Amino acid sequence: MRTAIIGGGAAGFFLAINLKEMMPAMDVIIIESAQKVLRKVAVSGGGRCNVTNTFEDIRDLKEVYPRGHRLMGRLFRTFSPQDAWQWFELRCVRLTAQADHCVFPVSQDAHTIINLFLAETKRLGVIVKTGCRITSLDELRDFDYICVTTGGQPRAEGLQWLEQDIVEPVPSLFTLSIADSELNALTGTVVPDATVFIPGTKLRASGPLLLTHWGMSGPAILRLSSYAARHLAECDYLSPLMVNWASATEAEATEAVVTLIKQCAQKLITSVAPLQLPQRLWTYLCEKAIGQRAHAPWNSLNAKEQRRLVNVLIADEYHTNGRAPHRDEFVTCGGVALTAVHSSTLESRTHPGLFFAGEVLDIDGVTGGFNFQAAWTTAYTVACAISNSVRTGK
């Protein structure tokens, strides 16, 4: 029996290792179009590889899987985040969870994961072919099973050879470009807990926000880009964007301003930031809201100026003028339609023996280890499905 795995990334290697362990006599071959394998793993998590997440405090998987959350919920019964943690540690890769629930190797080095995968495939006898591009299913007719783990594709044309129903791919997990020279001058400023949202929609996300020389980044923006992937693509990434800089209610922001008026009456407004905002950001927001009056004492504020300060804290408006994708960590929304596969096996409904795992499916998660967990879970599901098929002859 022979299985071809098309794509030498995280899902492809995980599938190959588990399938070979389940079926030692099977010939398993990974076929990768590039010259190097596991390139995305090498750069993930800033080179540290955010292998999964503890999923603590996740009330609904839709929070972290904007597409595919129902399927992921079912597949977690087969291979959960806890199973992934145990899988790596049983192979002598110790993991650690951060305060934000992201899970990394204790080594803080993505090459720990890469070296594990390469060592395991070598030990088990998995064949790895690089520089070999597959463009038709006919090229694989000598195999009993075909598994596609090619990852996200930027255009639907790159998926047509699969002969499946395709959901149009669009970018997900990207930063936003904002043409505001004064805002851009705050490059490197981190806001610990902001909420960003698109007015007129229910699309919003919270978390740390990073100001950059091109606009905004950080977990809050990346999450919003995931939730709003199709909406932003439809408007060509030109959209109003609102920021609540402290994830505060109007009452909380008003109370913070009033308190400073009382407690810091003679101090300059720009010199004392409310709600623990970074000082440079607060100066920018003050000047944006009330101009040169920002350099007056707190007790000189009139009611209208107070309202403007509150408004800039909780509903500060910007306009995006594009996205700024990081090519090495490119994630797509879209891919092989989930209606095109059997939910329990991820086998094609129209091509028996053809399976899909990883981001090639219309499953994608927000930043934080969720996409890698989807890769591990879907890959393990396919390995089990093929193993069961061989054993039962079905």
mmCIF file of all heavy atoms in Angstrom, residues 10-22 72 75-80 83-84 86-87 91 147 149 344-346 355-358 372-388 391:
data_model
loop_
_atom_site.group_PDB
_atom_site.id
_atom_site.type_symbol
_atom_site.label_atom_id
_atom_site.label_comp_id
_atom_site.label_asym_id
_atom_site.label_seq_id
_atom_site.Cartn_x
_atom_site.Cartn_y
_atom_site.Cartn_z
ATOM 1 N N ALA A 10 3.648 21.547 8.166
ATOM 2 C CA ALA A 10 3.321 20.995 9.479
ATOM 3 C C ALA A 10 2.323 19.848 9.378
ATOM 4 O O ALA A 10 2.548 18.761 9.938
ATOM 5 C CB ALA A 10 2.761 22.103 10.373
ATOM 6 N N ALA A 11 1.204 20.062 8.664
ATOM 7 C CA ALA A 11 0.186 19.020 8.558
ATOM 8 C C ALA A 11 0.723 17.795 7.822
ATOM 9 O O ALA A 11 0.438 16.658 8.213
ATOM 10 C CB ALA A 11 -1.050 19.573 7.851
ATOM 11 N N GLY A 12 1.489 18.017 6.766
ATOM 12 C CA GLY A 12 2.024 16.909 5.988
ATOM 13 C C GLY A 12 2.938 16.008 6.799
ATOM 14 O O GLY A 12 2.821 14.770 6.769
ATOM 15 N N PHE A 13 3.855 16.606 7.544
ATOM 16 C CA PHE A 13 4.789 15.810 8.350
ATOM 17 C C PHE A 13 4.065 15.119 9.497
ATOM 18 O O PHE A 13 4.343 13.951 9.805
ATOM 19 C CB PHE A 13 5.927 16.690 8.870
ATOM 20 C CG PHE A 13 7.109 16.736 7.942
ATOM 21 C CD1 PHE A 13 7.089 17.527 6.796
ATOM 22 C CD2 PHE A 13 8.239 15.962 8.178
ATOM 23 C CE1 PHE A 13 8.165 17.560 5.930
ATOM 24 C CE2 PHE A 13 9.325 15.984 7.326
ATOM 25 C CZ PHE A 13 9.295 16.786 6.187
ATOM 26 N N PHE A 14 3.144 15.821 10.135
ATOM 27 C CA PHE A 14 2.420 15.219 11.251
ATOM 28 C C PHE A 14 1.601 14.026 10.769
ATOM 29 O O PHE A 14 1.544 12.985 11.436
ATOM 30 C CB PHE A 14 1.524 16.263 11.913
ATOM 31 C CG PHE A 14 1.138 15.932 13.321
ATOM 32 C CD1 PHE A 14 2.034 16.113 14.359
ATOM 33 C CD2 PHE A 14 -0.128 15.442 13.621
ATOM 34 C CE1 PHE A 14 1.688 15.810 15.681
ATOM 35 C CE2 PHE A 14 -0.494 15.137 14.928
ATOM 36 C CZ PHE A 14 0.420 15.316 15.958
ATOM 37 N N LEU A 15 0.974 14.175 9.613
ATOM 38 C CA LEU A 15 0.193 13.085 9.039
ATOM 39 C C LEU A 15 1.093 11.897 8.716
ATOM 40 O O LEU A 15 0.779 10.743 9.046
ATOM 41 C CB LEU A 15 -0.532 13.588 7.783
ATOM 42 C CG LEU A 15 -1.736 12.810 7.269
ATOM 43 C CD1 LEU A 15 -2.496 13.632 6.242
ATOM 44 C CD2 LEU A 15 -1.360 11.459 6.664
ATOM 45 N N ALA A 16 2.219 12.169 8.073
ATOM 46 C CA ALA A 16 3.131 11.100 7.659
ATOM 47 C C ALA A 16 3.640 10.310 8.865
ATOM 48 O O ALA A 16 3.662 9.068 8.837
ATOM 49 C CB ALA A 16 4.306 11.695 6.883
ATOM 50 N N ILE A 17 4.055 11.003 9.898
ATOM 51 C CA ILE A 17 4.604 10.330 11.082
ATOM 52 C C ILE A 17 3.545 9.452 11.750
ATOM 53 O O ILE A 17 3.788 8.283 12.072
ATOM 54 C CB ILE A 17 5.153 11.379 12.074
ATOM 55 C CG1 ILE A 17 6.390 12.061 11.481
ATOM 56 C CG2 ILE A 17 5.488 10.734 13.418
ATOM 57 C CD1 ILE A 17 6.811 13.317 12.212
ATOM 58 N N ASN A 18 2.348 9.991 11.936
ATOM 59 C CA ASN A 18 1.302 9.220 12.606
ATOM 60 C C ASN A 18 0.809 8.060 11.756
ATOM 61 O O ASN A 18 0.571 6.959 12.279
ATOM 62 C CB ASN A 18 0.143 10.142 12.993
ATOM 63 C CG ASN A 18 0.457 10.976 14.212
ATOM 64 O OD1 ASN A 18 0.463 10.480 15.333
ATOM 65 N ND2 ASN A 18 0.752 12.256 14.008
ATOM 66 N N LEU A 19 0.676 8.273 10.455
ATOM 67 C CA LEU A 19 0.243 7.188 9.577
ATOM 68 C C LEU A 19 1.262 6.058 9.554
ATOM 69 O O LEU A 19 0.906 4.874 9.628
ATOM 70 C CB LEU A 19 -0.001 7.723 8.164
ATOM 71 C CG LEU A 19 -0.434 6.680 7.126
ATOM 72 C CD1 LEU A 19 -1.718 5.981 7.562
ATOM 73 C CD2 LEU A 19 -0.631 7.342 5.756
ATOM 74 N N LYS A 20 2.535 6.405 9.475
ATOM 75 C CA LYS A 20 3.588 5.380 9.438
ATOM 76 C C LYS A 20 3.652 4.625 10.763
ATOM 77 O O LYS A 20 3.920 3.417 10.779
ATOM 78 C CB LYS A 20 4.936 6.050 9.134
ATOM 79 C CG LYS A 20 6.055 5.068 8.817
ATOM 80 C CD LYS A 20 5.834 4.333 7.505
ATOM 81 C CE LYS A 20 7.066 3.483 7.161
ATOM 82 N NZ LYS A 20 6.851 2.675 5.951
ATOM 83 N N GLU A 21 3.402 5.305 11.879
ATOM 84 C CA GLU A 21 3.371 4.608 13.166
ATOM 85 C C GLU A 21 2.188 3.651 13.247
ATOM 86 O O GLU A 21 2.289 2.557 13.820
ATOM 87 C CB GLU A 21 3.318 5.616 14.315
ATOM 88 C CG GLU A 21 4.641 6.333 14.542
ATOM 89 C CD GLU A 21 4.601 7.265 15.737
ATOM 90 O OE1 GLU A 21 3.485 7.728 16.092
ATOM 91 O OE2 GLU A 21 5.663 7.522 16.320
ATOM 92 N N MET A 22 1.054 4.063 12.672
ATOM 93 C CA MET A 22 -0.131 3.200 12.680
ATOM 94 C C MET A 22 -0.007 2.048 11.685
ATOM 95 O O MET A 22 -0.499 0.942 11.949
ATOM 96 C CB MET A 22 -1.375 4.039 12.336
ATOM 97 C CG MET A 22 -1.729 5.120 13.336
ATOM 98 S SD MET A 22 -3.091 6.155 12.713
ATOM 99 C CE MET A 22 -3.093 7.499 13.894
ATOM 100 N N MET A 72 -14.032 21.539 13.854
ATOM 101 C CA MET A 72 -12.934 21.391 14.805
ATOM 102 C C MET A 72 -13.440 20.862 16.145
ATOM 103 O O MET A 72 -12.780 20.036 16.786
ATOM 104 C CB MET A 72 -12.214 22.718 15.006
ATOM 105 C CG MET A 72 -11.399 23.178 13.790
ATOM 106 S SD MET A 72 -10.209 21.941 13.225
ATOM 107 C CE MET A 72 -9.233 21.720 14.699
ATOM 108 N N LEU A 75 -13.780 17.151 15.698
ATOM 109 C CA LEU A 75 -12.503 16.459 15.530
ATOM 110 C C LEU A 75 -11.652 16.473 16.795
ATOM 111 O O LEU A 75 -10.798 15.598 16.972
ATOM 112 C CB LEU A 75 -11.716 17.094 14.369
ATOM 113 C CG LEU A 75 -12.368 16.986 12.984
ATOM 114 C CD1 LEU A 75 -11.428 17.552 11.914
ATOM 115 C CD2 LEU A 75 -12.756 15.557 12.658
ATOM 116 N N PHE A 76 -11.874 17.435 17.676
ATOM 117 C CA PHE A 76 -11.138 17.465 18.946
ATOM 118 C C PHE A 76 -11.434 16.219 19.792
ATOM 119 O O PHE A 76 -10.665 15.874 20.688
ATOM 120 C CB PHE A 76 -11.477 18.719 19.743
ATOM 121 C CG PHE A 76 -10.677 19.937 19.335
ATOM 122 C CD1 PHE A 76 -10.964 21.175 19.880
ATOM 123 C CD2 PHE A 76 -9.636 19.838 18.419
ATOM 124 C CE1 PHE A 76 -10.229 22.301 19.522
ATOM 125 C CE2 PHE A 76 -8.909 20.953 18.052
ATOM 126 C CZ PHE A 76 -9.193 22.185 18.599
ATOM 127 N N ARG A 77 -12.558 15.558 19.516
ATOM 128 C CA ARG A 77 -12.857 14.314 20.242
ATOM 129 C C ARG A 77 -11.870 13.216 19.850
ATOM 130 O O ARG A 77 -11.633 12.284 20.627
ATOM 131 C CB ARG A 77 -14.286 13.868 19.949
ATOM 132 C CG ARG A 77 -15.348 14.874 20.379
ATOM 133 C CD ARG A 77 -16.707 14.495 19.833
ATOM 134 N NE ARG A 77 -17.662 15.601 19.958
ATOM 135 C CZ ARG A 77 -18.807 15.657 19.304
ATOM 136 N NH1 ARG A 77 -19.168 14.661 18.497
ATOM 137 N NH2 ARG A 77 -19.617 16.690 19.470
ATOM 138 N N THR A 78 -11.305 13.342 18.660
ATOM 139 C CA THR A 78 -10.317 12.367 18.189
ATOM 140 C C THR A 78 -8.906 12.774 18.594
ATOM 141 O O THR A 78 -8.101 11.946 19.032
ATOM 142 C CB THR A 78 -10.387 12.238 16.657
ATOM 143 O OG1 THR A 78 -11.690 11.779 16.287
ATOM 144 C CG2 THR A 78 -9.340 11.259 16.136
ATOM 145 N N PHE A 79 -8.605 14.073 18.442
ATOM 146 C CA PHE A 79 -7.259 14.558 18.771
ATOM 147 C C PHE A 79 -7.370 15.997 19.250
ATOM 148 O O PHE A 79 -7.547 16.924 18.458
ATOM 149 C CB PHE A 79 -6.338 14.465 17.546
ATOM 150 C CG PHE A 79 -4.878 14.594 17.887
ATOM 151 C CD1 PHE A 79 -4.169 13.505 18.373
ATOM 152 C CD2 PHE A 79 -4.214 15.806 17.720
ATOM 153 C CE1 PHE A 79 -2.811 13.608 18.691
ATOM 154 C CE2 PHE A 79 -2.870 15.924 18.035
ATOM 155 C CZ PHE A 79 -2.170 14.823 18.517
ATOM 156 N N SER A 80 -7.274 16.165 20.555
ATOM 157 C CA SER A 80 -7.501 17.453 21.202
ATOM 158 C C SER A 80 -6.193 18.209 21.420
ATOM 159 O O SER A 80 -5.104 17.656 21.222
ATOM 160 C CB SER A 80 -8.166 17.216 22.560
ATOM 161 O OG SER A 80 -7.231 16.572 23.440
ATOM 162 N N ASP A 83 -4.139 16.244 23.684
ATOM 163 C CA ASP A 83 -3.478 15.131 22.987
ATOM 164 C C ASP A 83 -2.226 15.618 22.270
ATOM 165 O O ASP A 83 -1.205 14.917 22.238
ATOM 166 C CB ASP A 83 -4.436 14.498 21.975
ATOM 167 C CG ASP A 83 -5.599 13.787 22.637
ATOM 168 O OD1 ASP A 83 -5.404 13.215 23.722
ATOM 169 O OD2 ASP A 83 -6.707 13.818 22.066
ATOM 170 N N ALA A 84 -2.303 16.811 21.676
ATOM 171 C CA ALA A 84 -1.137 17.368 20.974
ATOM 172 C C ALA A 84 0.004 17.608 21.953
ATOM 173 O O ALA A 84 1.168 17.272 21.671
ATOM 174 C CB ALA A 84 -1.516 18.671 20.265
ATOM 175 N N GLN A 86 0.577 16.101 24.757
ATOM 176 C CA GLN A 86 1.129 14.798 25.160
ATOM 177 C C GLN A 86 1.956 14.180 24.033
ATOM 178 O O GLN A 86 3.013 13.579 24.285
ATOM 179 C CB GLN A 86 -0.009 13.855 25.552
ATOM 180 C CG GLN A 86 0.460 12.505 26.080
ATOM 181 C CD GLN A 86 -0.698 11.627 26.494
ATOM 182 O OE1 GLN A 86 -1.696 11.525 25.789
ATOM 183 N NE2 GLN A 86 -0.568 10.991 27.650
ATOM 184 N N TRP A 87 1.499 14.352 22.787
ATOM 185 C CA TRP A 87 2.209 13.783 21.635
ATOM 186 C C TRP A 87 3.644 14.303 21.572
ATOM 187 O O TRP A 87 4.586 13.539 21.395
ATOM 188 C CB TRP A 87 1.459 14.133 20.350
ATOM 189 C CG TRP A 87 1.925 13.403 19.123
ATOM 190 C CD1 TRP A 87 1.401 12.267 18.594
ATOM 191 C CD2 TRP A 87 3.006 13.786 18.247
ATOM 192 N NE1 TRP A 87 2.083 11.908 17.454
ATOM 193 C CE2 TRP A 87 3.071 12.823 17.222
ATOM 194 C CE3 TRP A 87 3.903 14.842 18.226
ATOM 195 C CZ2 TRP A 87 4.011 12.885 16.182
ATOM 196 C CZ3 TRP A 87 4.840 14.899 17.208
ATOM 197 C CH2 TRP A 87 4.896 13.938 16.206
ATOM 198 N N ARG A 91 7.619 12.500 22.872
ATOM 199 C CA ARG A 91 8.758 12.441 21.961
ATOM 200 C C ARG A 91 9.871 13.379 22.408
ATOM 201 O O ARG A 91 10.673 13.847 21.606
ATOM 202 C CB ARG A 91 8.294 12.738 20.538
ATOM 203 C CG ARG A 91 7.442 11.590 19.973
ATOM 204 C CD ARG A 91 6.562 12.010 18.818
ATOM 205 N NE ARG A 91 5.770 10.869 18.330
ATOM 206 C CZ ARG A 91 4.652 10.432 18.923
ATOM 207 N NH1 ARG A 91 4.188 11.052 19.996
ATOM 208 N NH2 ARG A 91 4.005 9.387 18.430
ATOM 209 N N CYS A 147 -3.105 12.336 0.087
ATOM 210 C CA CYS A 147 -3.424 13.318 1.127
ATOM 211 C C CYS A 147 -2.872 14.673 0.699
ATOM 212 O O CYS A 147 -1.674 14.789 0.408
ATOM 213 C CB CYS A 147 -2.796 12.917 2.463
ATOM 214 S SG CYS A 147 -3.195 11.239 2.979
ATOM 215 N N THR A 149 -1.929 18.365 1.699
ATOM 216 C CA THR A 149 -1.613 19.214 2.864
ATOM 217 C C THR A 149 -0.797 20.415 2.397
ATOM 218 O O THR A 149 0.209 20.771 3.005
ATOM 219 C CB THR A 149 -0.832 18.408 3.920
ATOM 220 O OG1 THR A 149 0.388 17.926 3.322
ATOM 221 C CG2 THR A 149 -1.632 17.228 4.428
ATOM 222 N N SER A 344 -16.062 13.150 9.354
ATOM 223 C CA SER A 344 -15.379 12.272 10.305
ATOM 224 C C SER A 344 -14.023 11.786 9.814
ATOM 225 O O SER A 344 -13.184 11.368 10.619
ATOM 226 C CB SER A 344 -16.256 11.058 10.637
ATOM 227 O OG SER A 344 -16.532 10.321 9.457
ATOM 228 N N THR A 345 -13.781 11.851 8.493
ATOM 229 C CA THR A 345 -12.532 11.319 7.921
ATOM 230 C C THR A 345 -11.752 12.339 7.098
ATOM 231 O O THR A 345 -10.571 12.131 6.818
ATOM 232 C CB THR A 345 -12.834 10.120 7.013
ATOM 233 O OG1 THR A 345 -13.654 10.557 5.907
ATOM 234 C CG2 THR A 345 -13.545 8.999 7.778
ATOM 235 N N LEU A 346 -12.419 13.415 6.660
ATOM 236 C CA LEU A 346 -11.842 14.432 5.765
ATOM 237 C C LEU A 346 -11.487 13.846 4.398
ATOM 238 O O LEU A 346 -10.617 14.348 3.703
ATOM 239 C CB LEU A 346 -10.619 15.099 6.417
ATOM 240 C CG LEU A 346 -10.887 15.724 7.790
ATOM 241 C CD1 LEU A 346 -9.639 16.418 8.336
ATOM 242 C CD2 LEU A 346 -12.050 16.716 7.729
ATOM 243 N N PHE A 355 -7.762 12.662 0.508
ATOM 244 C CA PHE A 355 -7.989 13.268 1.808
ATOM 245 C C PHE A 355 -7.342 14.655 1.877
ATOM 246 O O PHE A 355 -6.406 14.955 1.123
ATOM 247 C CB PHE A 355 -7.392 12.395 2.923
ATOM 248 C CG PHE A 355 -8.029 11.041 3.052
ATOM 249 C CD1 PHE A 355 -7.671 9.995 2.206
ATOM 250 C CD2 PHE A 355 -8.978 10.804 4.038
ATOM 251 C CE1 PHE A 355 -8.263 8.733 2.342
ATOM 252 C CE2 PHE A 355 -9.562 9.552 4.180
ATOM 253 C CZ PHE A 355 -9.202 8.516 3.335
ATOM 254 N N PHE A 356 -7.823 15.462 2.831
ATOM 255 C CA PHE A 356 -7.285 16.812 3.010
ATOM 256 C C PHE A 356 -7.021 17.076 4.485
ATOM 257 O O PHE A 356 -7.781 16.641 5.350
ATOM 258 C CB PHE A 356 -8.274 17.851 2.482
ATOM 259 C CG PHE A 356 -8.618 17.668 1.032
ATOM 260 C CD1 PHE A 356 -9.731 16.916 0.664
ATOM 261 C CD2 PHE A 356 -7.812 18.204 0.036
ATOM 262 C CE1 PHE A 356 -10.042 16.720 -0.668
ATOM 263 C CE2 PHE A 356 -8.111 18.009 -1.306
ATOM 264 C CZ PHE A 356 -9.233 17.265 -1.665
ATOM 265 N N ALA A 357 -5.942 17.794 4.760
ATOM 266 C CA ALA A 357 -5.622 18.169 6.139
ATOM 267 C C ALA A 357 -4.921 19.513 6.152
ATOM 268 O O ALA A 357 -4.221 19.879 5.201
ATOM 269 C CB ALA A 357 -4.735 17.108 6.793
ATOM 270 N N GLY A 358 -5.104 20.245 7.240
ATOM 271 C CA GLY A 358 -4.428 21.533 7.380
ATOM 272 C C GLY A 358 -5.164 22.661 6.702
ATOM 273 O O GLY A 358 -6.370 22.594 6.425
ATOM 274 N N PHE A 372 -1.882 25.864 14.032
ATOM 275 C CA PHE A 372 -1.098 24.639 14.174
ATOM 276 C C PHE A 372 -1.936 23.523 14.802
ATOM 277 O O PHE A 372 -1.841 22.369 14.396
ATOM 278 C CB PHE A 372 0.157 24.885 15.004
ATOM 279 C CG PHE A 372 1.339 25.339 14.185
ATOM 280 C CD1 PHE A 372 2.180 26.346 14.651
ATOM 281 C CD2 PHE A 372 1.623 24.773 12.954
ATOM 282 C CE1 PHE A 372 3.266 26.772 13.901
ATOM 283 C CE2 PHE A 372 2.700 25.197 12.194
ATOM 284 C CZ PHE A 372 3.532 26.192 12.668
ATOM 285 N N GLN A 373 -2.767 23.858 15.781
ATOM 286 C CA GLN A 373 -3.608 22.820 16.374
ATOM 287 C C GLN A 373 -4.555 22.242 15.333
ATOM 288 O O GLN A 373 -4.800 21.030 15.315
ATOM 289 C CB GLN A 373 -4.397 23.372 17.555
ATOM 290 C CG GLN A 373 -5.252 22.322 18.254
ATOM 291 C CD GLN A 373 -4.435 21.153 18.775
ATOM 292 O OE1 GLN A 373 -3.455 21.338 19.498
ATOM 293 N NE2 GLN A 373 -4.820 19.930 18.404
ATOM 294 N N ALA A 374 -5.077 23.082 14.449
ATOM 295 C CA ALA A 374 -5.930 22.578 13.372
ATOM 296 C C ALA A 374 -5.145 21.636 12.464
ATOM 297 O O ALA A 374 -5.673 20.627 11.987
ATOM 298 C CB ALA A 374 -6.505 23.742 12.564
ATOM 299 N N ALA A 375 -3.872 21.968 12.217
ATOM 300 C CA ALA A 375 -3.030 21.089 11.394
ATOM 301 C C ALA A 375 -2.846 19.740 12.067
ATOM 302 O O ALA A 375 -2.993 18.681 11.426
ATOM 303 C CB ALA A 375 -1.677 21.750 11.144
ATOM 304 N N TRP A 376 -2.520 19.746 13.379
ATOM 305 C CA TRP A 376 -2.301 18.472 14.071
ATOM 306 C C TRP A 376 -3.582 17.644 14.102
ATOM 307 O O TRP A 376 -3.561 16.426 13.834
ATOM 308 C CB TRP A 376 -1.836 18.694 15.516
ATOM 309 C CG TRP A 376 -0.776 19.717 15.779
ATOM 310 C CD1 TRP A 376 -0.716 20.564 16.847
ATOM 311 C CD2 TRP A 376 0.414 20.011 15.004
ATOM 312 N NE1 TRP A 376 0.399 21.362 16.787
ATOM 313 C CE2 TRP A 376 1.114 21.053 15.665
ATOM 314 C CE3 TRP A 376 0.940 19.515 13.810
ATOM 315 C CZ2 TRP A 376 2.306 21.594 15.193
ATOM 316 C CZ3 TRP A 376 2.124 20.057 13.323
ATOM 317 C CH2 TRP A 376 2.794 21.072 14.004
ATOM 318 N N THR A 377 -4.692 18.276 14.414
ATOM 319 C CA THR A 377 -5.949 17.545 14.561
ATOM 320 C C THR A 377 -6.430 16.968 13.238
ATOM 321 O O THR A 377 -6.829 15.795 13.177
ATOM 322 C CB THR A 377 -7.024 18.463 15.175
ATOM 323 O OG1 THR A 377 -6.635 18.815 16.513
ATOM 324 C CG2 THR A 377 -8.377 17.778 15.228
ATOM 325 N N THR A 378 -6.422 17.775 12.187
ATOM 326 C CA THR A 378 -6.902 17.271 10.892
ATOM 327 C C THR A 378 -5.959 16.214 10.332
ATOM 328 O O THR A 378 -6.404 15.229 9.739
ATOM 329 C CB THR A 378 -7.085 18.415 9.885
ATOM 330 O OG1 THR A 378 -5.856 19.168 9.764
ATOM 331 C CG2 THR A 378 -8.210 19.359 10.327
ATOM 332 N N ALA A 379 -4.656 16.387 10.530
ATOM 333 C CA ALA A 379 -3.684 15.397 10.039
ATOM 334 C C ALA A 379 -3.861 14.063 10.762
ATOM 335 O O ALA A 379 -3.834 12.994 10.140
ATOM 336 C CB ALA A 379 -2.270 15.919 10.226
ATOM 337 N N TYR A 380 -4.037 14.131 12.071
ATOM 338 C CA TYR A 380 -4.222 12.893 12.841
ATOM 339 C C TYR A 380 -5.519 12.195 12.429
ATOM 340 O O TYR A 380 -5.580 10.970 12.323
ATOM 341 C CB TYR A 380 -4.239 13.211 14.336
ATOM 342 C CG TYR A 380 -4.154 11.985 15.211
ATOM 343 C CD1 TYR A 380 -2.922 11.437 15.560
ATOM 344 C CD2 TYR A 380 -5.317 11.365 15.688
ATOM 345 C CE1 TYR A 380 -2.839 10.314 16.365
ATOM 346 C CE2 TYR A 380 -5.247 10.239 16.491
ATOM 347 C CZ TYR A 380 -4.001 9.715 16.820
ATOM 348 O OH TYR A 380 -3.934 8.589 17.613
ATOM 349 N N THR A 381 -6.568 12.993 12.186
ATOM 350 C CA THR A 381 -7.847 12.435 11.733
ATOM 351 C C THR A 381 -7.683 11.658 10.437
ATOM 352 O O THR A 381 -8.214 10.550 10.289
ATOM 353 C CB THR A 381 -8.875 13.568 11.541
ATOM 354 O OG1 THR A 381 -9.112 14.211 12.798
ATOM 355 C CG2 THR A 381 -10.183 13.042 10.984
ATOM 356 N N VAL A 382 -6.937 12.230 9.488
ATOM 357 C CA VAL A 382 -6.718 11.555 8.202
ATOM 358 C C VAL A 382 -5.883 10.290 8.387
ATOM 359 O O VAL A 382 -6.172 9.248 7.781
ATOM 360 C CB VAL A 382 -6.048 12.516 7.198
ATOM 361 C CG1 VAL A 382 -5.617 11.763 5.941
ATOM 362 C CG2 VAL A 382 -7.006 13.647 6.835
ATOM 363 N N ALA A 383 -4.861 10.352 9.227
ATOM 364 C CA ALA A 383 -4.035 9.169 9.478
ATOM 365 C C ALA A 383 -4.897 8.036 10.030
ATOM 366 O O ALA A 383 -4.772 6.877 9.596
ATOM 367 C CB ALA A 383 -2.904 9.505 10.445
ATOM 368 N N CYS A 384 -5.784 8.351 10.972
ATOM 369 C CA CYS A 384 -6.684 7.340 11.531
ATOM 370 C C CYS A 384 -7.632 6.795 10.464
ATOM 371 O O CYS A 384 -7.898 5.582 10.414
ATOM 372 C CB CYS A 384 -7.498 7.935 12.676
ATOM 373 S SG CYS A 384 -6.546 8.289 14.173
ATOM 374 N N ALA A 385 -8.140 7.690 9.610
ATOM 375 C CA ALA A 385 -9.093 7.270 8.575
ATOM 376 C C ALA A 385 -8.445 6.300 7.592
ATOM 377 O O ALA A 385 -9.045 5.281 7.211
ATOM 378 C CB ALA A 385 -9.625 8.498 7.843
ATOM 379 N N ILE A 386 -7.224 6.592 7.167
ATOM 380 C CA ILE A 386 -6.532 5.702 6.225
ATOM 381 C C ILE A 386 -6.195 4.375 6.899
ATOM 382 O O ILE A 386 -6.378 3.291 6.308
ATOM 383 C CB ILE A 386 -5.265 6.382 5.679
ATOM 384 C CG1 ILE A 386 -5.647 7.589 4.812
ATOM 385 C CG2 ILE A 386 -4.421 5.389 4.873
ATOM 386 C CD1 ILE A 386 -4.470 8.407 4.340
ATOM 387 N N SER A 387 -5.723 4.438 8.120
ATOM 388 C CA SER A 387 -5.412 3.219 8.855
ATOM 389 C C SER A 387 -6.638 2.335 9.002
ATOM 390 O O SER A 387 -6.574 1.110 8.777
ATOM 391 C CB SER A 387 -4.851 3.584 10.244
ATOM 392 O OG SER A 387 -4.634 2.439 11.026
ATOM 393 N N ASN A 388 -7.769 2.921 9.357
ATOM 394 C CA ASN A 388 -9.000 2.157 9.491
ATOM 395 C C ASN A 388 -9.449 1.593 8.162
ATOM 396 O O ASN A 388 -9.975 0.469 8.094
ATOM 397 C CB ASN A 388 -10.109 3.035 10.086
ATOM 398 C CG ASN A 388 -9.851 3.382 11.539
ATOM 399 O OD1 ASN A 388 -9.142 2.683 12.248
ATOM 400 N ND2 ASN A 388 -10.431 4.498 11.994
ATOM 401 N N ARG A 391 -7.334 -1.455 7.384
ATOM 402 C CA ARG A 391 -7.636 -2.597 8.270
ATOM 403 C C ARG A 391 -9.001 -3.219 7.978
ATOM 404 O O ARG A 391 -9.183 -4.438 8.098
ATOM 405 C CB ARG A 391 -7.581 -2.145 9.730
ATOM 406 C CG ARG A 391 -6.160 -1.823 10.220
ATOM 407 C CD ARG A 391 -6.098 -1.724 11.739
ATOM 408 N NE ARG A 391 -4.731 -1.574 12.192
ATOM 409 C CZ ARG A 391 -4.211 -0.424 12.598
ATOM 410 N NH1 ARG A 391 -4.937 0.654 12.584
ATOM 411 N NH2 ARG A 391 -2.946 -0.383 12.997
#
